[in-house]
Amino acid sequence: MNTDQLRNYCQSFKGATEKDSKHPSNILSFSIAEKKFAYFKTSEPEIWRFSIRVTPERFLELTDQPGIKPARYMHRFHWVTIINVQAMDEEYLKQLVLYSYQKAMSSLPKKTQNQWIESK
């Protein structure tokens, strides 16, 4: 899966919005009702590195693999950064992104969650 395909996948989730934050943060983030579930770094030297939230168990598993590291400033919340998304198995990456989306959705107030569920 390349970065464009992954970007389209993130946009495909119900209620997902994309926000391009320019300098100084330089990130392209994906959120549901202002709760971020994924982002790309858009500036050098980290351009197109992709970050998502994972379970604590997956965090330990993934950060032991080459090309995946704790996300800067977000690692304490179990976010990882994938250096090259093309090197990852596509289905596994989709599972990880889906979990991150679901985690963001579950942190929303029940009323907001129900709005997205009912609008399906």
Side-chain angles (χ1 to χ4, degrees), residues 8 10 16 20 22 27 29 37 41 43-44 56 61 63-64 66-67 78 85 90 92 98 107 116:
N8 289 335
C10 290
D20 190 2
K22 303 291 185 195
I27 60 170
S29 61
F37 67 90
K41 189 72 175 149
S43 64
E44 294 294 345
E61 168 197 327
T63 54
D64 280 344
H78 303 112
V85 294
E90 182 174 338
Y92 187 53
L98 176 61
S107 70
W116 293 116

Side-chain angles (χ1 to χ4, degrees), residues 62-81:
L62 289 166
T63 54
D64 280 344
Q65 296 179 27
I68 301 175
K69 61 182 189 173
R72 188 181 228 175
Y73 307 118
M74 300 288 278
H75 62 279
R76 67 182 176 275
F77 303 112
H78 303 112
W79 282 70
V80 295
T81 295

Side-chain angles (χ1 to χ4, degrees), residues 37-38 52-53 79 96-105:
F37 67 90
I52 50 175
R53 189 173 196 167
W79 282 70
L96 294 173
V97 174
L98 176 61
Y99 169 81
S100 190
Y101 170 80
Q102 290 171 336
K103 181 73 174 170
M105 174 71 90

Side-chain angles (χ1 to χ4, degrees), residues 4-114:
D4 288 333
Q5 292 167 323
L6 185 53
R7 185 176 177 180
N8 289 335
Y9 182 67
C10 290
Q11 292 171 335
S12 73
F13 289 107
K14 192 74 171 170
T17 57
E18 179 181 291
K19 181 180 178 186
D20 190 2
S21 300
K22 303 291 185 195
H23 185 74
S25 58
N26 298 313
I27 60 170
L28 177 64
S29 61
F30 300 91
S31 306
I32 170 96
E34 301 298 320
K35 292 287 183 176
K36 191 181 303 177
F37 67 90
Y39 64 91
F40 283 103
K41 189 72 175 149
T42 59
S43 64
E44 294 294 345
E46 300 175 332
I47 194 161
W48 301 122
R49 291 184 181 186
F50 183 67
S51 299
I52 50 175
R53 189 173 196 167
V54 296
T55 65
E57 297 79 22
R58 288 259 168 103
F59 180 83
L60 293 173
E61 168 197 327
L62 289 166
T63 54
D64 280 344
Q65 296 179 27
I68 301 175
K69 61 182 189 173
R72 188 181 228 175
Y73 307 118
M74 300 288 278
H75 62 279
R76 67 182 176 275
F77 303 112
H78 303 112
W79 282 70
V80 295
T81 295
I82 301 164
I83 307 298
N84 180 4
V85 294
Q86 293 180 0
M88 286 205 64
D89 177 73
E90 182 174 338
E91 289 307 311
Y92 187 53
L93 182 57
K94 284 182 175 183
Q95 288 175 10
L96 294 173
V97 174
L98 176 61
Y99 169 81
S100 190
Y101 170 80
Q102 290 171 336
K103 181 73 174 170
M105 174 71 90
S106 71
S107 70
L108 297 172
K110 293 294 180 197
K111 183 178 178 181
T112 306
Q113 288 180 37
N114 291 335

